[in-house]
């Protein structure tokens, strides 16, 4: 770190940057995208070199964890070059963790290389263990490819945490099975409540919303979950499953407010910085980035943005509103 740490108006230090490197994806998960999506024109997207510059500017100001996400980060062309370049911050000791959230479709191809660039843990999204149901949730996903990708990650020595979005009437009957399956494979697991982000076509979130209190009640019928104090630096609350010995986490943005300890900001692939996942306010970093080869303007814009980080968010899934409370898709801001 060469500059001052990034401290927001509420005294929280921002040391975690999530970067959506593309808005494109090879899946069309029903809760995330509609089948017909209009993606951003190329000129608006930061090049891999520009993404490296922004990430490195944040690292110079004390960011110690970088997560690349999307869309599907591993479908961006030449994405391995960004991992390779960013890994220099791991080597220098300025960065603690370089990681990725992925649907695993490309992991067979890339797991080994990722491990070589210092990626030790990854998050993989998986919402069903049944091939047919998996196909109906992801629309375009290939279950076997995902399973092969997970094996490749294991073989490369990468730790995997499965993220499972709890969907009412869709995967609620698999909740207990997920814990056993993850235990068998040595994966940690986090359940996520569906968030009202972006227009997704026909279905409404009210239909999909399954509070994690109900997930937890279901799990308690089969598994012994002991709450632990562990934090991965994120909003999940963790338990240990006594029978499998693996962690089971719960991310409940709808029912539990985790904003007090928020240490993160999110960059989109167009260089827009969102200081809060649940708010519309954002800062344009692409203009200062492209205005100069030096980073002064960029760093000023980052400081100005962190000075506006809001105290918290207010998601609502409401039967009367029937509209997403945040209009952009999760694939834009990154999960
Ligand atoms: N494509 C990658 C993947 O699926 O892991 C990374 C991007 S995806 C947008 C990141 C995470 O956001 C995934 O775990 C996904 O399940 C979650 N997600 C997407 N839309 C969501 C929503 N409306 N509510 C809750 N989680 C959502
Ligand atoms: Fe793609 Fe991930 Fe969204 Fe699914 S959740 S459509 S894999 S970006």
């Amino acid at each position: 770190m060469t500059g001052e740490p990034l401290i927001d108006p509420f005294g929280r230090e921002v040391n975690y940057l999530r970067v959506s490197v593309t808005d494109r994806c090879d899946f069309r998960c029903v809760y995330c995208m509609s089948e017909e999506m209009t993606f951003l024109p190329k000129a608006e997207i930061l090049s891999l070199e520009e993404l490296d510059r922004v990430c490195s500017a944040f690292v110079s100001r004390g960011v110690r964890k970088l997560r690349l996400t999307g869309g599907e980060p591993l479908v961006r062309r030449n994405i391995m070059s960004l991992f390779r370049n960013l890994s220099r911050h791991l080597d220098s000791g300025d960065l603690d963790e370089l990681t990725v959230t992925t649907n695993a479709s490309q992991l067979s191809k890339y797991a080994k290389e990722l491990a070589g660039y210092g990626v030790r843990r990854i998050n993989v999204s998986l919402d069903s263990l049944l091939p047919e149901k998996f196909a109906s949730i992801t629309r375009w996903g290939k279950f076997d490819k995902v399973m092969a990708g997970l094996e490749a990650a294991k073989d490369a020595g990468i730790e995997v945490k499965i993220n499972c979005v709890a969907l009412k009437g869709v995967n609620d009957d698999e909740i207990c099975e997920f814990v056993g399956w993850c235990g068998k494979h040595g994966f940690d697991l986090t359940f996520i409540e569906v968030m009202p982000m972006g227009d997704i076509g026909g279905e409404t979130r009210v239909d999909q919303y399954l509070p994690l209190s109900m997930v937890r009640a279901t799990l308690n019928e089969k598994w012994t979950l002991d709450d632990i104090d562990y934090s991965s630096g994120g909003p999940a609350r963790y338990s240990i499953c006594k029978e499998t010995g693996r962690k089971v986490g719960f991310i409940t943005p709808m029912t539990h407010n985790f904003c007090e300890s928020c240490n993160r900001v999110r960059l989109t692939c167009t260089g827009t910085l969102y200081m809060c996942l649940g708010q519309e306010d954002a800062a344009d970093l692409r203009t200062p980035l492209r205005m100069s080869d030096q980073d002064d303007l960029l760093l000023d814009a980052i400081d100005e943005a962190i000075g506006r980080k809001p105290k918290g968010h207010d998601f609502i899934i409401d039967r009367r509103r029937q509209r997403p409370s945040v209009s952009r898709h999760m694939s834009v801001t990154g999960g």
Side-chain angles (χ1 to χ4, degrees), residues 24-29 31-33 70-72 103 125 138 331:
R24 289 162 197 260
C25 187
D26 53 343
F27 290 8
R28 288 289 181 281
C29 301
Y31 52 79
C32 180
M33 295 190 183
E72 174 46 43
N103 63 24
S125 309
T138 62
S331 51

Side-chain angles (χ1 to χ4, degrees), residues 67 74 83 97-102 104 107 111 114 119-124 149-150 153-154 158-163 188:
R67 176 180 298 280
L74 301 184
F83 280 97
E97 187 166 13
L98 176 60
T99 185
V100 61
T101 300
T102 174
L107 271 184
L114 286 170
V119 173
R120 293 188 309 268
R121 304 191 297 177
I122 59 173
N123 289 355
V124 171
L150 285 167
K154 266 207 275 189
I158 297 177
E159 267 181 61
V160 173
K161 179 166 77 76
I162 299 290
N163 281 342
D188 288 336

Side-chain angles (χ1 to χ4, degrees), residues 153-186:
K154 266 207 275 189
D155 291 347
I158 297 177
E159 267 181 61
V160 173
K161 179 166 77 76
I162 299 290
N163 281 342
C164 173
V165 175
L167 298 163
K168 189 163 83 183
V170 178
N171 63 7
D172 35 7
D173 56 337
E174 291 186 68
I175 297 294
C176 281
E177 170 64 16
F178 256 99
V179 172
W181 183 85
C182 285
K184 195 173 90 192
H185 288 277

